[in-house]
Amino acid sequence: MDVAEKLVPVVCPWCSVGCRFYAVSVNGYIRRIEFDYDHPTVNRGKLCPKGVASYQFINSSKRLKKPLKRVGEKGEGKFEEISWSEAYRIIAEKIKEIKETYGPEAIAFLGSEKITFEENYLVHKLSKAIGTNHLDFPGRYCQYSNSPARTAVFGSAAATNPFEDVAKAELIVIWGHNPAETAPVFFGQYIEKAVLDNGAQMVVIDPRETRGHKYASIHLKPYPGTDLAIALAMLNVVISEELYDRDFVQERTVGFEELKEAVKEYTPEWAEKISGVPAEEVRKVARLFATKRTALLVNEGLNQHVNGFEFALALANLIAITGNIGKEGVWSGVFPGAQCGFCAAMSGIAPNKLPTGKLVTDEAARAELERLWGFKIPDWVGLDLTSMIREMGNKIKMMYIVGGNIAKSAPNSRWVREQLKKLDFLVVQDIFLTETAKYADIVLPAAAWFEKTGTAISAERRVQRSYKAAEAPGEAKPDWLILVELAKELGLGEYFKYEHPDEILREINSVIPMFKGATPEYLAEHPEGCFFPCTEPGEGTKVLFKKGFKTADGKAHLQPVKWREPPEMPDEEYPLWLTNFRQVGHWHTGTMSFESPSLKKRWPEEYVMINPKDAEKYGIKSGDLVKVETRRGSVLVRAEVTEHVREGVIAMPNHWNINVLTLEVTHEKTKMAELKAVAARVRKVEE
């Protein structure tokens, strides 16, 4: 028996930093990992706890191994095993039946942050081939405040600089982000280096004290959902004190006078009344932002609010008028929580997009893609994820979900589960029987990240290849292969003639111009990858916007912004703000990390953080069982009484059951829901 060890280069799937290491593979099994110190990797050989444990979940006994057909009620989780041929036949027949009865617009697809660039591209292509633009991915609840706001101002949402520029910054502002816990390797390699080695100053803006706050010289603690007030006040200070970059504003922006007029009433004193942050602290941070080379790091504390779009617009304006863009030593962009959040976004997974990034309503762009693909593309704008959920059983009769767990990740999850029951037909393609899969009519067993070859895209726009290091269990198949075989069953095989992910990537090279140079051959020869846009083989574009922006006139379009209140505020009945946070040892809904023994052991359960003053008011001590309640529902958890959360705020990790409590109200433009600022109450439960 051949027992030779193979070192297989892989990109860690857990977050969007893009760390690389070797999986030591023996006869299709991963025995251990080895650190890659030989190549110019973003992590320089280092890994976080999730990275070290990264492959454990693939060996779980709970892995899906054969296709399943529902035999019980929706949500019961009762299934029988069937063959792949039967599964494909049932799905294809149902798609054809629904198309004939209701039209293709009754069918919706979800891509995923858990699958490769190539696989998300095929999800997009298959949805268009079937004739629907109802297409989205769970990243709707991650990136869709910051991304459209930055696009409105700069013409592109992409991160401006490589991570190495964070270490060159004079000021690092971490706002609604906790990279010391969600991206520890990035924090250690770049942020700590900037502060400890290069003397950078650090500001943290968060209602909690996070793992990284000890490096900060200033820590602002706004109430959840009120960050917009601080951003507007900072704009007010920078403009009224004439601290903006006059030359940059004059030469490279439009709309300054309108912005100036819009923010003139938003003084730091006004912001203090709303956010609880002292006015002088707001002034101090605004002056630093305007006078230093700044790296602005934001994440879900910005994104996951109904007023997140306005907040993100305010920050994009602030970046532009201070000239903190288009040069070395600054950083700003979208920092999704998953490695392949960009794999979905950059393949155009959205209800209004083509894979090229152009709009589905753009006739010329549609015609060009029809020429490349060979079939007609629908020209109407589809539904976003929250609207899909609202329309289940009405406009939406069928959903095909690849690697998403919306029954747990979407806001107001009890409502979501009731909506899932209304679908005529649901297909879930995943590696475990998730909370969402329990509502499916057909469940398809997919190969996990380490069991297939594909492309990953990180938060600094780095495009890298990850390679197959293990065999999938039982009859599980790579997501790309499942989609190809289903397309053949649907009679669409002529458009899906792929035998290997390399062939899919080559098609992407020809379809999406900014990835033309990210060929399988180049990425194989250059493990460090390239930075998109990479229009020809080579390093790509490390710094964006050096000379112009992606707008029609090449200038940043400053956007007037107004204060917008969170959709739900504390009151006498629900007097506390409830927010959420991520833990270093878990990922999203825990689908994979809960099946990683070392992670589950170190981070075993959910809890609620409560300030000592609030705890005293409600007679709560650390370790007490408490009931956390909002207008949507309640959960029982243990209390952790701590100064690490400000008075008036309670906080829970988001990997367990907090979305029973959150609010599905959405922003009219971005369709972002409210996941981080809802009114709550808490009381001790007698055991």
Side-chain angles (χ1 to χ4, degrees):
M1 182 185 239
D2 177 20
V3 292
E5 291 185 345
K6 293 194 297 183
L7 288 180
V8 182
V10 296
V11 179
C12 184
W14 289 107
C15 80
S16 58
V17 173
C19 297
R20 291 183 59 253
F21 57 88
Y22 292 109
V24 180
S25 179
V26 179
N27 293 329
Y29 294 91
I30 299 176
R31 298 301 189 199
R32 64 183 188 280
I33 63 171
E34 285 195 5
F35 303 99
D36 183 358
Y37 296 106
D38 302 326
H39 297 98
T41 63
V42 68
N43 52 312
R44 301 179 179 130
K46 308 292 185 183
L47 290 174
C48 75
K50 285 201 291 288
V52 172
S54 58
Y55 67 93
Q56 291 179 1
F57 70 89
I58 72 171
N59 299 319
S60 169
S61 61
K62 297 179 185 176
R63 286 289 302 277
L64 293 170
K65 299 178 179 67
K66 292 195 71 172
L68 303 175
K69 178 183 178 182
R70 180 172 60 83
V71 294
E73 295 297 316
K74 291 187 177 186
E76 272 191 309
K78 293 182 179 179
F79 297 90
E80 64 179 12
E81 293 182 347
I82 58 175
S83 67
W84 274 103
S85 59
E86 186 178 0
Y88 288 142
R89 179 184 58 77
I90 293 170
I91 296 168
E93 286 178 356
K94 201 67 184 179
I95 288 173
K96 291 173 183 175
E97 176 191 322
I98 288 173
K99 281 184 68 174
E100 288 171 7
T101 307
Y102 304 104
E105 59 272 21
I107 302 170
F109 279 78
L110 288 188
S112 176
E113 297 167 299
K114 293 197 296 190
I115 62 176
T116 67
F117 188 29
E118 293 88 346
E119 289 167 335
N120 273 299
Y121 174 81
L122 289 195
V123 172
H124 193 156
K125 187 174 182 179
L126 182 59
S127 68
K128 293 285 194 287
I130 287 171
T132 183
N133 283 333
H134 296 318
L135 174 70
D136 212 340
F137 74 110
R140 168 68 56 184
Y141 299 130
C142 294
Q143 306 164 29
Y144 273 78
S145 289
N146 202 18
S147 182
R150 288 176 62 83
T151 301
V153 177
F154 304 123
S156 167
T160 56
N161 296 60
F163 289 154
E164 63 194 44
D165 277 8
V166 173
K168 302 172 186 175
E170 296 171 331
L171 175 69
I172 295 174
V173 177
I174 300 178
W175 200 332
H177 188 13
N178 183 14
E181 197 146 8
T182 58
V185 174
F186 164 71
F187 188 89
Q189 295 295 315
Y190 301 97
I191 296 176
E192 277 189 350
K193 182 177 177 61
V195 175
L196 299 180
D197 296 350
N198 298 342
Q201 194 168 349
M202 186 166 133
V203 173
V204 171
I205 305 176
D206 198 300
R208 294 192 317 127
E209 288 184 2
T210 63
R211 283 177 178 262
H213 86 277
K214 63 184 179 182
Y215 296 99
S217 57
I218 300 174
H219 182 188
L220 309 187
K221 297 181 181 180
Y223 292 118
T226 66
D227 304 79
L228 169 60
I230 296 173
L232 290 171
M234 287 174 65
L235 282 167
N236 174 286
V237 171
V238 172
I239 293 173
S240 65
E241 296 186 6
E242 299 187 351
L243 299 174
Y244 53 90
D245 186 327
R246 287 178 175 272
D247 291 340
F248 192 93
V249 167
Q250 186 173 347
E251 295 168 14
R252 299 196 56 189
T253 75
V254 295
F256 179 75
E257 290 302 321
E258 292 85 348
L259 175 63
K260 180 179 179 180
E261 179 65 22
V263 302
K264 68 179 183 181
E265 303 298 327
Y266 299 131
T267 64
E269 286 73 21
W270 166 85
E272 180 177 352
K273 292 175 184 175
I274 292 171
S275 68
V277 174
E280 280 311 305
E281 294 289 288
V282 175
R283 280 195 179 86
K284 189 183 297 183
V285 174
R287 290 163 182 164
L288 286 171
F289 201 106
T291 55
K292 291 185 179 291
R293 198 167 59 243
T294 301
L296 174 63
L297 304 171
V298 297
N299 203 1
E300 311 309 18
L302 178 158
N303 279 302
Q304 293 182 323
H305 295 287
V306 170
N307 66 9
F309 176 67
E310 286 78 10
F311 178 21
L313 278 180
L315 290 185
N317 288 332
L318 193 61
I319 291 164
I321 68 171
T322 57
N324 277 303
I325 193 166
K327 58 188 179 185
E328 288 190 354
V330 302
W331 202 93
S332 65
V334 179
F335 211 116
Q339 174 58 254
C340 267
F342 277 114
C343 296
M346 300 315 298
S347 59
I349 298 277
N352 63 337
K353 294 283 185 69
L354 301 171
T356 54
K358 299 290 181 68
L359 298 176
V360 294
T361 51
D362 184 330
E363 188 175 349
R366 229 174 34 251
E368 173 61 15
L369 191 56
E370 288 171 352
R371 183 186 67 79
L372 293 168
W373 275 355
F375 57 81
K376 196 75 176 169
I377 296 170
D379 61 359
W380 43 272
V381 175
L383 296 177
D384 62 277
L385 176 51
T386 306
S387 298
M388 289 179 193
I389 296 170
R390 287 201 178 99
E391 291 295 337
M392 287 176 180
N394 185 21
K395 290 181 181 177
I396 302 299
K397 305 296 184 183
M398 173 186 171
M399 282 194 76
Y400 194 116
I401 299 176
V402 182
N405 191 15
I406 62 172
K408 196 174 179 184
S409 66
N412 195 355
S413 54
R414 283 202 180 105
W415 165 71
V416 175
R417 294 174 193 190
E418 289 304 309
Q419 291 297 103
L420 284 167
K421 293 178 183 178
K422 298 178 182 178
L423 288 170
D424 288 9
F425 196 69
L426 173 63
V427 180
V428 172
Q429 187 169 305
D430 215 317
I431 61 177
F432 292 107
L433 191 66
T434 63
E435 287 83 355
T436 306
K438 290 176 182 177
Y439 291 84
D441 296 278
I442 298 290
V443 179
L444 301 178
W449 183 265
F450 296 95
E451 297 160 355
K452 56 192 175 185
T453 292
T455 304
I457 306 173
S458 77
E460 62 173 348
R461 295 180 285 107
R462 190 186 293 266
V463 184
Q464 300 177 96
R465 214 79 196 288
S466 189
Y467 294 92
K468 180 180 176 180
E471 294 298 328
E475 297 179 19
K477 299 181 181 186
D479 292 277
W480 68 266
L481 183 57
I482 297 172
L483 296 166
V484 167
E485 291 178 347
L486 176 60
K488 291 176 180 175
E489 184 73 23
L490 285 163
L492 300 169
E494 63 181 299
Y495 310 119
F496 292 82
K497 296 178 180 178
Y498 312 105
E499 301 291 335
H500 190 276
D502 285 0
E503 297 173 15
I504 307 169
L505 183 55
R506 289 191 191 101
E507 182 172 307
I508 291 171
N509 298 151
S510 67
V511 170
I512 309 179
M514 71 171 67
F515 293 102
K516 185 178 180 181
T519 64
E521 294 76 19
Y522 181 83
L523 296 180
E525 292 171 10
H526 299 83
E528 72 280 7
C530 61
F531 294 86
F532 80 80
C534 38
T535 53
E536 57 186 36
E539 182 182 69
T541 311
K542 293 188 83 170
V543 179
L544 296 181
F545 315 134
K546 282 185 175 182
K547 295 181 179 178
F549 297 100
K550 295 287 286 183
T551 53
D553 58 6
K555 294 190 176 185
H557 286 230
L558 304 176
Q559 305 285 319
V561 192
K562 292 184 178 180
W563 164 245
R564 179 175 182 149
E565 202 172 69
E568 186 174 85
M569 305 280 282
D571 54 24
E572 287 186 12
E573 190 178 3
Y574 294 91
L576 299 170
W577 286 104
L578 170 65
T579 191
N580 69 48
F581 59 92
R582 285 173 163 81
Q583 293 183 304
V584 67
H586 286 304
W587 188 83
H588 289 199
T589 63
T591 302
M592 298 183 295
S593 56
F594 288 177
E595 295 302 321
S596 302
S598 66
L599 300 177
K600 184 70 173 174
K601 184 177 180 180
R602 288 182 65 186
W603 294 274
E605 62 185 358
E606 64 182 330
Y607 57 95
V608 61
M609 299 173 70
I610 182 168
N611 183 274
K613 291 180 180 177
D614 293 320
E616 184 179 3
K617 185 189 304 182
Y618 300 116
I620 294 169
K621 295 182 175 61
S622 280
D624 284 350
L625 185 67
V626 299
K627 183 179 185 180
V628 180
E629 190 173 12
T630 69
R631 290 179 173 86
R632 271 71 57 197
S634 63
V635 295
L636 294 177
V637 290
R638 296 288 171 184
E640 180 184 292
V641 179
T642 174
E643 295 277 5
H644 288 182
V645 65
R646 71 162 295 166
E647 186 179 357
V649 178
I650 56 175
M652 295 172 62
N654 82 326
H655 314 289
W656 282 271
N657 298 302
I658 191 170
N659 282 325
V660 168
L661 309 173
T662 51
L663 185 62
E664 81 280 5
V665 172
T666 57
H667 187 278
E668 64 279 1
K669 177 180 175 66
T670 66
K671 309 303 181 183
M672 174 61 74
E674 188 57 64
L675 290 129
K676 279 191 177 287
V678 294
R681 61 191 179 201
V682 61
R683 64 176 175 85
K684 183 179 176 180
V685 175
E686 298 301 328
E687 296 185 67

